[in-house]
């Protein structure tokens, strides 16, 4: 390591020039990086639910549905002003890019028909197309048509007649969330007034809001950088120590984003904070090296010699720390969700690049900078300040207290914290804790709209159960329709199922209409042939596309839509289990089968199952790998155990905080636990490396711990508090998710600092590993 360090310092200009050329190359690629969300990247494509979703999304609709609820404050919707707004919105949404015009539903749609049989003649008239009712008689006729048909009353018009829904579906391959958000916002601005509230909810609008707030998110990240710069200057009072960590992080960002562009990955706004955290890792390693460099420069007075000693003693610990960082992030890819696999690949490379950009770039840049008179005055001032520094006094006190009797107090306190953390960690849920969006604040306009729609007309959370036949015409068979009716009645017994809907729901009303609206005919015929005849007549009576939400063109597939109360974990898990319990006894009608699952809730169920399974393996492999690398680096299994224990504890505390703050484990939060592991191991590795270095000088264990806390402990305090304060600034974010992650990571960094300062030396004093106890 000594020869390697001296060679690097001698050839520092060549190495820095190579880094500069690589940075320019990556900078060119950054300009080609696209920032967008591909919805397919958010779904585990190998999961059977997603395979069904992909198969039927262009037949019955996918998870990209928008609900627009027009709500009146006074009166009801049956007035020309409100109905004109409904008609105008229904026509305007057809102009939005990517919309499926055949899956726009409202009472103003041409597909909404009223079926009447009079004197043996079938009369089919639109509800409200192409003109809205103007007179009292026409308005009463519209009311009669809606109130007499459960297909419209309760689904498209609320029971209090104050709300009506417009349902819009999109082609997933043609989604532009910014364009959708801007178009829907313009529609709301045009139609909302003192008496009308336009509520808009659905995944495209949700992601549109995230795009809308992306500039504010970037501003928060810039404020974080400014806060870190201020803290660095307060601690170091040296422009080199301020500039180089920020420069290392900036170059790291260029390398990482350039690599993402080379791999043809998108920078998804949903995971925008993760690349920033990787850059912070680079800055943190750079700060560790600067602290050691300043210490060696103060001792030797030679810039090049100080840089060589820094590389010699910090390269292997830094390399081990960075490899464990990269491995923790790479294991995110265990969850076979494309966006997480892309993150694992890109951020894995990004973390490896940190070796070059912090462990080499920082000390070599310091070796190139001249020792100015200002630098000499700074070092002289530091020698004076150090004697009275409050941090030195605090760390010296810890260094004397822990080896004596403090270690037992620390151990007992750790056990208590772990016990409390374990209790709260049991509360963590895989999925969203909130009925609306957990990414946005509870009182955000989107969540208000989603709550109004969910509690007034619960159509926002559909689960699609598909009935598949072996051949065309299967759905119109009497036995198939009767089995579907039986299945729907079973589903309705679940307390979190609001109601279900399929082509079967329309048959009793159609039969009643066929018999001059005699209520005694409002039922399913007992004979299968009559039931089949009624279904065929209903399907062929309307214009093309009228029933395409429920039956395909060949009558081979049918869609049973299960409207759930919400998408929270308890709801999703219990309804899926309820359905699977039925399917275990009744796999499907003769000649067909049931397929799970599509819709927003079906997709959520698939993502939830994949993340729940992957999280366990991710945690076990991450901790096992960190133990392995630390044991190899320090050539001691006991040292590996000592460094792994604080990480396991920090992970428990992470889950406890997520359970206490009601933060669900989702695609967005799942990588954070891996980042938390990476954030925790660095301090321990650097501390252990310095402790062994001090012990190998012939010091006793007590004096080695005291000396390590005075030197490396001081840099740990500076780095941890700097990044903690920077992350705390995220609480001002427009996104609840970013604010929660900032608070969570700030707490984790602080706890990891305490773990490195208190728990690691405590475990060393109690376990006394041979690698540390022997001197050179």
């Amino acid at each position: 390591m000594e020869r390697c360090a001296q060679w690097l310092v001698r050839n520092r200009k060549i190495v820095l020039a190579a880094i500069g050329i690589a940075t320019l190359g990556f900078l060119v690629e950054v300009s080609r990086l696209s920032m967008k969300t591909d919805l397919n990247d958010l779904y585990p494509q190998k999961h059977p639910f997603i395979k069904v979703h992909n198969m039927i999304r262009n037949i019955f609709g996918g998870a990209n549905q928008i609900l627009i609820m027009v709500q009146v404050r006074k009166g009801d919707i049956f007035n020309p002003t409100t109905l004109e707004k409904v008609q105008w919105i229904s026509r305007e949404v057809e102009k939005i890019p990517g919309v499926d015009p055949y899956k726009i539903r409202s009472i103003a749609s041409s597909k909404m028909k009223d079926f009447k049989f009079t004197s043996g003649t079938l009369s089919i008239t639109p509800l409200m197309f192409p003109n809205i009712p103007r007179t009292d008689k026409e308005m009463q006729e519209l009311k009669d048509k809606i109130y007499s048909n459960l297909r419209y009353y309760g689904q498209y018009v609320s029971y209090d007649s104050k709300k009506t829904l417009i349902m819009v579906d999109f082609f997933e391959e043609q989604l532009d969330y910014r364009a959708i958000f801007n178009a829907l916002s313009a529609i709301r601005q045009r139609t909302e007034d003192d008496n009308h509230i336009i509520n808009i909810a659905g995944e495209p609008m949700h992601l549109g809001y995230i795009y809308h707030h992306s500039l504010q998110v970037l501003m928060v990240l810039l404020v974080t950088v400014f806060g870190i710069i201020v803290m660095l200057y307060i601690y170091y009072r040296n422009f080199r120590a301020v500039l180089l960590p920020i420069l290392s992080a900036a170059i790291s960002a260029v390398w990482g984003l350039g690599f993402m562009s080379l791999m043809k990955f998108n920078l998804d706004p949903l995971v925008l904070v993760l690349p920033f955290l990787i850059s912070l890792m680079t800055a943190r390693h750079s700060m560790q090296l600067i602290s050691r460099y300043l210490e060696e420069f103060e001792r030797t007075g030679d810039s090049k010699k100080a840089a060589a000693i820094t590389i010699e003693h910090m390269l292997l610990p830094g390399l081990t720390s960075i490899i464990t960082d990269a491995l923790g992030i790479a294991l995110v890819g265990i969850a076979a969700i494309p966006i997480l696999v892309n993150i694992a690949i890109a951020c894995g490379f990004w973390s490896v690049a940190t070796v070059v950009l912090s462990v080499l770039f920082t000390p070599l840049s310091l070796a190139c900078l001249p020792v100015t008179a200002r630098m000499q005055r700074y070092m002289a001032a530091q020698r004076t300040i150090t004697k009275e520094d409050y941090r030195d006094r605090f760390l010296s006190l810890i260094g004397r207290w822990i080896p004596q009797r403090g270690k037992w107090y620390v151990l007992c306190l750790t056990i208590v914290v772990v016990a409390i953390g374990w209790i709260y960690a049991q509360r963590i849920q895989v999925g969203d804790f909130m009925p609306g969006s957990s990414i946005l604040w509870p009182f955000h306009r989107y969540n208000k709209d989603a709550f109004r729609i969910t509690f007034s007309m619960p159509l926002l959370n559909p689960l699609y159960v598909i009935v598949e036949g072996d051949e065309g015409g299967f759905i119109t068979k009497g036995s198939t329709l009767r089995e579907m009716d039986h299945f729907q009645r079973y589903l309705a017994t679940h307390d979190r199922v609001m109601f279900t809907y399929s082509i079967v729901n329309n048959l009793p009303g159609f039969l009643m209409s066929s018999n001059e609206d005699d209520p005694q005919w409002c039922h399913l015929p007992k004979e299968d042939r009559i039931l089949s005849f009624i279904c065929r007549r209903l399907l062929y009576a309307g214009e093309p596309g009228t029933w395409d939400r429920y039956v395909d063109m060949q009558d081979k597939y049918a869609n049973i839509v299960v409207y759930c109360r919400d998408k929270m974990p308890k709801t999703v898990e219990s309804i899926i289990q309820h359905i699977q319990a039925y399917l275990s006894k009744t796999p499907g009608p003769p000649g067909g089968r049931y397929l799970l699952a599509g819709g927003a809730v079906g997709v959520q169920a698939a993502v939830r199952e994949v993340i729940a399974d992957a999280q366990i393996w991710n945690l076990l492999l991450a901790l096992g790998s960190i133990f392995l690398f630390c044991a190899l680096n320090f050539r001691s299994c006991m040292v590996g155990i000592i460094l792994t224990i604080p990480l396991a504890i920090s992970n428990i505390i992470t889950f406890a905080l997520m359970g206490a703050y009601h933060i669900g484990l989702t695609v967005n939060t799942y990588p954070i636990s891996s980042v938390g592991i990476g954030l925790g191991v660095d301090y321990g590795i650097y501390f252990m490396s310095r402790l062994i270095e001090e012990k190998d000088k012939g010091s006793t264990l007590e004096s080695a711990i005291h000396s390590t806390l005075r030197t490396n402990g001081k840099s740990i305090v500076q780095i941890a508090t700097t990044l903690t304060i920077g992350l705390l600034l995220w609480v001002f974010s427009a996104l609840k998710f970013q604010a929660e992650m900032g608070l969570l990571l700030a707490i984790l960094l602080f706890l990891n600092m305490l773990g490195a300062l208190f728990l690691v030396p405590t475990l060393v004093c109690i376990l006394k590993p041979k690698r540390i106890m022997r001197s050179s």
Side-chain angles (χ1 to χ4, degrees), residues 712-724:
N712 185 257
K714 187 174 180 179
S715 68
I716 289 174
V717 171
Q718 292 176 171
I719 295 166
T721 52
T722 298
L723 298 183
T724 297

Side-chain angles (χ1 to χ4, degrees), residues 508-528:
F510 187 70
L511 180 62
M512 184 179 71
S513 300
S514 304
N515 291 273
E516 298 183 353
D517 288 336
D518 185 348
Q520 295 185 24
W521 288 92
C522 188
H523 61 81
L524 290 181
K526 294 182 179 179
E527 296 185 36
D528 285 351

Side-chain angles (χ1 to χ4, degrees), residues 27 122 129 172 241 267 417 435 440 497 629 645 740:
L27 188 60
L122 174 61
F129 183 86
E172 292 189 358
L267 180 59
V417 170
L440 303 171
V497 173
F629 279 107
I645 288 174
E740 289 178 336

